[in-house]
Amino acid sequence: MTLDYLIIGAGPAGLQLAHLLERDGRDYLVLEAGAAPGTFFTSYPRHRQLISINKVWTGSDDPEFNLRSDWNSLLTDDPALLFKNYSRRYFPDAADLVRYLADVAQGLWIRYDTRVTRIARDGELFAVHAGDDTITARRVVVATGVSQLYVPPIEGADLAERYDTVSVDPADFTNQRVLIIGKGNSAFETADALVETAAVIHVAGPHSIKLAWQSHYVGHLRAVNNNFLDTYQLKSQNAVLDGTVERIVRRDDGGYRIDFRYARTVEAIRRIDYDRVILCTGFRFDASIFDPSARPRLVIDDRFPEQTSAYESVNVPGLYFAGTLTQQRDFKRSTNGFIHGFRYGVRALHRILNARHHDTPWPATPLEATPEAIADAVIARINRTSALWQQFAVLGDVVVVSGDTARYHEEVPVAYLHDGGLGPEPFAFVITLEYGPDHDQVDPFDITVPRIAENDAAHAHDASYLHPVVRVHRGGKVVAAHHLAENLENHWNLPDVHHQPLVLFVKGVLSDAG
């Protein structure tokens, strides 16, 4: 028997795709190495507090709008399977997500305790070895996430403790000098847990700290993990070191000495002693299961598989990726690395697979090709859509115009559209939500810095904050663009500020098109 779809991994992405395939009656199977779904979250984050928000009360009863503030739910048709029914905490415990995923998995075709050891390509098919079985599939979707700790090329790195195995009991670090290598959330999560017990904590890395509230990338340092910065700047024996660890050696007394190359000091190399050294340097994709016949090309320091705009391997046809692995497409720019982003990416992948293999085109709603009808549809969507809100600049709604008719397609990957996913060179309006190009350079709390005023339609194109952008695609090129003005509560429906300028823009485009 040959499966249409074999999904590797029963984490959130694998479950999301399985739900969609199950709904459509497709032929699929999920293989999961662990004994239950969501195995990753039984261990991570190590201190058990998620940084994905769970805002239960929004003032709205619109389920689509509410997904903007629900970063943990998957996209199902069952209102009971919303994460707010599992936790009311804004930053939930990881155990609640594990419990939620177990319920999501009910009724899906999943084989647990089945570790894939080899994926090979045999002609047009894949041969997947798992335990004593070999499973044949037309298409393989890898949804394993980034499961291996990334170890930087530091001499002596093998002497350091690792984020995935280091003790999480602060008492084990009492009165010790601790070096944490890394400047991401795992590093500062670890540092924050040790503030009350460690004598000295240094957090080190070669790059500047980027704060999520300023960059708008939720994988950068989150405020919930940055209490440590206070202990540094208010002189509590802790510090952030800018530079690279060149070498780690063990001292005779059992501690460690490191050679540290500063990024900005007159002292190029300094030797510093510590009792503990911990690697918190992020994770990478495990490509060891791939036979050379099916090995995907890797990028970004070999941490991710390289993918097309259809989430397919660039060099292995039929090998697709889902979930956090798809952040290769928008690395550190949008939200494909997180549940609240990739749940929409998985839905887009499902629609791509339907179009390619099941003669089911991208869903579309017919519209009259009039300025008023198009503007009304756009305004209605941008005021409630969660997909464009979460996957800013990555997913877009597409209104394809042909003669007197138009078709409204929701949540199309913009790159997929550019690559001809909806047909060659359509005449279309593409609607995205985007920040301004220099949004991460703006201090939103500095009132002395000039900014575009709220609801300023005349200067909307210079806005820094998230706002709708409508671009016109024709002949394979973007030929015009219209920005809708920023609004404090993201209500883009003011008649004179948002709706009427959009009507006039669409009217001008349609008139020029003849």
Side-chain angles (χ1 to χ4, degrees):
M1 176 181 177
T2 298
L3 292 167
D4 277 344
Y5 300 100
L6 184 62
I7 303 170
I8 313 298
L15 296 179
Q16 179 66 80
L17 181 57
H19 251 280
L20 296 168
L21 295 174
E22 177 72 22
R23 184 196 66 190
D24 289 355
R26 303 298 184 208
D27 177 34
Y28 76 94
L29 176 66
V30 183
L31 300 182
E32 167 57 43
T39 301
F40 179 88
F41 294 101
T42 62
S43 300
Y44 304 105
R46 295 299 311 284
H47 296 88
R48 309 311 291 145
Q49 179 178 267
L50 300 174
I51 58 175
S52 50
I53 69 172
N54 178 47
K55 192 171 186 291
V56 175
W57 306 111
T58 68
S60 172
D61 58 4
D62 182 347
E64 173 67 19
F65 177 86
N66 287 341
L67 282 170
R68 291 182 175 186
S69 301
D70 173 356
W71 290 11
N72 297 285
S73 292
L74 298 184
L75 306 176
T76 75
D77 298 324
D78 186 351
L81 292 178
L82 291 172
F83 192 76
K84 68 180 182 180
N85 298 323
Y86 292 78
S87 174
R88 294 299 172 106
R89 291 176 56 187
Y90 189 78
F91 292 113
D93 190 282
D96 293 323
L97 182 58
V98 173
R99 186 165 54 91
Y100 168 73
L101 294 175
D103 285 353
V104 171
Q106 295 298 313
L108 301 178
W109 291 99
I110 305 173
R111 187 183 298 178
Y112 296 106
D113 295 314
T114 305
R115 182 174 297 278
V116 173
T117 56
R118 184 169 172 266
I119 299 175
R121 186 167 175 81
D122 184 8
E124 297 297 313
L125 302 177
F126 291 92
V128 178
H129 301 264
D132 295 329
D133 292 340
T134 299
I135 302 169
T136 303
R138 293 180 179 86
R139 289 165 285 279
V140 170
V141 183
V142 179
T144 54
V146 282
S147 57
Q148 284 193 335
L149 189 76
Y150 172 69
V151 179
I154 298 171
E155 182 182 345
D158 57 307
L159 298 175
E161 297 176 85
R162 297 162 44 121
Y163 174 73
D164 54 349
T165 54
V166 69
S167 170
V168 293
D169 183 356
D172 290 345
F173 297 82
T174 299
N175 207 33
Q176 294 182 348
R177 293 174 54 85
V178 181
L179 172 66
I180 298 171
I181 302 175
K183 284 185 176 177
N185 280 294
S186 62
F188 282 96
E189 166 206 338
T190 303
D192 195 48
L194 303 182
V195 163
E196 294 182 355
T197 57
V200 172
I201 307 170
H202 289 169
V203 176
H207 304 296
S208 301
I209 293 172
K210 293 188 176 180
L211 302 170
W213 58 258
Q214 186 168 24
S215 71
H216 302 112
Y217 171 65
V218 301
H220 285 148
L221 181 58
R222 302 288 296 284
V224 69
N225 284 329
N226 73 12
N227 286 335
F228 179 83
L229 298 180
D230 263 15
T231 74
Y232 170 37
Q233 290 299 310
L234 299 180
K235 306 306 177 189
S236 297
Q237 293 187 274
N238 299 327
V240 176
L241 306 183
D242 300 325
T244 57
V245 176
E246 302 279 300
R247 185 174 65 150
I248 304 170
V249 296
R250 194 187 302 276
R251 301 196 318 262
D252 292 341
D253 63 1
Y256 301 89
R257 176 163 294 162
I258 67 121
D259 291 348
F260 189 78
R261 183 178 297 278
Y262 281 103
R264 44 181 182 177
T265 182
V266 295
E267 186 179 12
I269 294 285
R270 183 172 180 181
R271 289 182 174 171
I272 313 175
D273 291 342
Y274 297 98
D275 299 299
R276 311 281 284 270
V277 178
I278 307 170
L279 294 180
C280 295
T281 46
F283 291 83
R284 64 186 298 272
F285 175 55
D286 181 5
S288 64
I289 61 175
F290 290 94
D291 179 82
S293 63
R295 184 177 176 84
R297 185 184 306 157
L298 303 181
V299 291
I300 312 177
D301 295 328
D302 290 344
R303 294 175 68 175
F304 297 95
E306 187 177 6
Q307 296 152 59
T308 71
S309 58
Y311 309 105
E312 185 178 23
S313 168
V314 296
N315 64 304
V316 184
L319 178 62
Y320 293 88
F321 301 93
T324 192
L325 291 174
T326 60
Q327 68 183 286
Q328 182 270 321
R329 294 288 311 172
D330 63 334
F331 189 59
K332 295 191 176 182
R333 290 183 289 110
S334 195
T335 58
N336 264 318
F338 313 91
I339 293 174
H340 67 289
F342 68 59
R343 61 190 177 193
Y344 304 103
V346 173
R347 185 156 67 185
L349 170 62
H350 173 251
R351 290 169 173 169
I352 290 169
L353 295 173
N354 273 343
R356 286 185 169 186
H357 306 296
H358 304 287
D359 198 26
T360 304
W362 202 282
T365 302
L367 283 178
E368 291 183 39
T370 65
E372 292 76 16
I374 293 173
D376 287 350
V378 170
I379 292 292
R381 270 285 290 173
I382 60 177
N383 280 286
R384 63 186 297 264
T385 173
S386 61
L388 272 58
W389 176 271
Q390 306 290 23
Q391 287 259 32
F392 49 88
V394 172
L395 296 183
D397 285 0
V398 180
V399 182
V400 176
V401 179
S402 178
D404 295 333
T405 63
R407 303 186 312 279
Y408 198 115
H409 305 76
E410 297 181 358
E411 304 169 22
V412 180
V414 175
Y416 179 71
L417 172 71
H418 279 295
D419 291 342
L422 295 186
E425 302 182 353
F427 171 34
F429 295 89
V430 180
I431 304 96
T432 55
L433 292 179
E434 298 180 20
Y435 292 94
D438 298 321
H439 65 93
D440 55 348
Q441 306 300 314
V442 176
D443 182 351
F445 304 117
D446 185 351
I447 65 172
T448 67
V449 176
R451 290 191 61 195
I452 302 303
E454 180 193 12
N455 298 326
D456 183 352
H459 298 91
H461 57 282
D462 290 324
S464 295
Y465 186 63
L466 194 70
H467 64 283
V469 182
V470 181
R471 293 185 174 87
V472 179
H473 288 232
R474 189 161 195 177
K477 298 178 181 180
V478 176
V479 297
H482 175 76
H483 294 246
L484 278 72
E486 290 184 9
N487 179 270
L488 174 64
E489 299 197 55
N490 307 303
H491 294 162
W492 297 292
N493 54 8
L494 299 178
D496 295 334
V497 174
H498 301 114
H499 188 272
Q500 190 59 26
L502 180 58
V503 170
L504 293 176
F505 172 73
V506 175
K507 182 178 293 186
V509 170
L510 295 180
S511 176
D512 289 344

